[in-house]
């Protein structure tokens, strides 16, 4: 680990915006091809618009062991069919690395699963801080009517592995049933 100078950023809990040095990553509907359950609803929505599903504001540090990377993620409210907007979801490339997500605003779920088929869902509301253990893939979604904002911290060298999720998807889904979010297997 190279010597790095201490620094601070300011996080706006309402918008998730982070002051520099942050890198912004925007994910639109078209970036999540094949991931939503209702593919007809997906294609229909995409033929009309290509909304931003979420923004990630990453606080930049060297991607090396010893450093901690962190970011805010803002998932906007919305659904594809009956399924709430979600993140792509991933395993870490170095699978034995954990992560902590702390909810700052809104209402959502953190879905987690292992390669051998176990799964867990944690309801996220402001002040809830969830621990994602090593080896657990993770995806978040917004099941409320306002932006869902959370702050995540993970080992900076962990990396992202999206392939397994793009291939097999997530075990659990959260859909609107009778006007309320329901976690389905
Ligand atoms: C980092 C992490 C989060 C996500 C972000 C977007 O390890 O878990 O910063 O990267 O919430 O989700 P993905 O990366 O799945 O599109
Ligand atoms: Zn992660």
């Amino acid at each position: 680990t190279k010597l790095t100078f201490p620094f601070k950023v300011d996080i706006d809990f309402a918008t998730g915006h982070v002051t520099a040095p942050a890198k912004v990553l925007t994910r639109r509907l078209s970036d999540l091809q094949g991931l939503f359950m209702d593919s007809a609803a997906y294609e229909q929505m995409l033929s009309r618009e290509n909304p931003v599903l979420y923004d990630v504001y990453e606080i930049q540090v060297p991607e090396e062991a010893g450093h901690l990377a962190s970011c805010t993620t803002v998932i906007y409210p919305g659904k594809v069919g009956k399924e709430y907007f979600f993140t792509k979801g991933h395993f870490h490339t170095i699978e034995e690395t954990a992560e902590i997500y702390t909810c700052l605003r809104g209402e959502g779920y953190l879905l987690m699963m292992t390669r051998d088929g176990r799964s867990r869902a944690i309801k996220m509301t402001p002040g809830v801080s969830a621990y994602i253990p090593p080896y657990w893939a993770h995806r978040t979604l917004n099941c409320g009517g306002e932006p869902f904002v959370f702050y995540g911290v993970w080992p900076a060298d962990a990396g992202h592995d999206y392939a397994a999720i793009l291939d097999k998807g997530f075990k659990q889904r959260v859909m609107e049933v009778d006007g309320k979010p329901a976690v389905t297997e």
Side-chain angles (χ1 to χ4, degrees):
T1 300
K2 291 191 215 93
L3 184 62
T4 314
F5 288 99
F7 68 93
K8 66 134 208 176
V9 299
D10 294 304
I11 299 174
D12 184 329
F13 283 21
T15 62
H17 293 174
V18 176
T19 55
K23 189 178 85 184
V24 189
L25 193 90
T26 296
R27 295 279 188 217
R28 291 178 175 275
L29 188 66
S30 58
D31 296 313
L32 280 83
Q33 186 88 43
L35 294 178
F36 288 95
M37 178 133 105
D38 188 342
S39 51
Y42 178 89
E43 293 303 335
Q44 199 194 20
M45 191 173 198
L46 197 56
S47 71
R48 283 181 283 122
E49 51 176 343
N50 188 14
V52 174
L53 302 201
Y54 58 100
D55 286 313
V56 179
Y57 300 89
E58 190 171 336
I59 297 162
Q60 303 246 266
V61 298
E63 289 179 11
E64 295 168 3
H67 284 283
L68 291 173
S70 67
C71 75
T72 56
T73 301
V74 185
I75 310 178
Y76 300 99
K79 289 183 302 256
V80 174
K82 292 284 179 193
E83 190 169 23
Y84 300 100
F85 285 176
F86 55 53
T87 59
K88 291 169 80 170
H90 59 272
F91 286 94
H92 289 162
T93 308
I94 301 177
E95 289 206 33
E96 52 271 50
T97 51
E99 183 155 1
I100 291 173
Y101 281 180
T102 303
C103 179
L104 306 180
R105 179 185 176 188
E107 198 184 341
Y109 275 91
L110 164 60
L111 303 179
M112 291 165 282
M113 66 169 189
T114 60
R115 291 198 191 268
D116 62 9
R118 285 174 291 160
S119 57
R120 286 282 190 286
I122 291 178
K123 181 77 192 283
M124 300 293 285
T125 52
V128 173
S129 188
Y131 186 67
I132 303 161
Y135 303 105
W136 287 75
H138 36 288
R139 163 181 285 167
T140 45
L141 60 99
N142 182 350
C143 61
E146 60 178 313
F148 168 56
V149 184
F150 66 93
Y151 178 62
V153 184
W154 69 96
D157 60 336
H160 296 82
D161 174 8
Y162 294 101
I165 309 301
L166 290 170
D167 186 34
K168 293 201 190 112
F170 244 82
K171 208 176 165 184
Q172 292 161 302
R173 293 182 178 276
V174 183
M175 321 282 290
E176 186 189 59
V177 179
D178 298 329
K180 284 184 306 213
V183 184
T184 63
E185 278 292 306

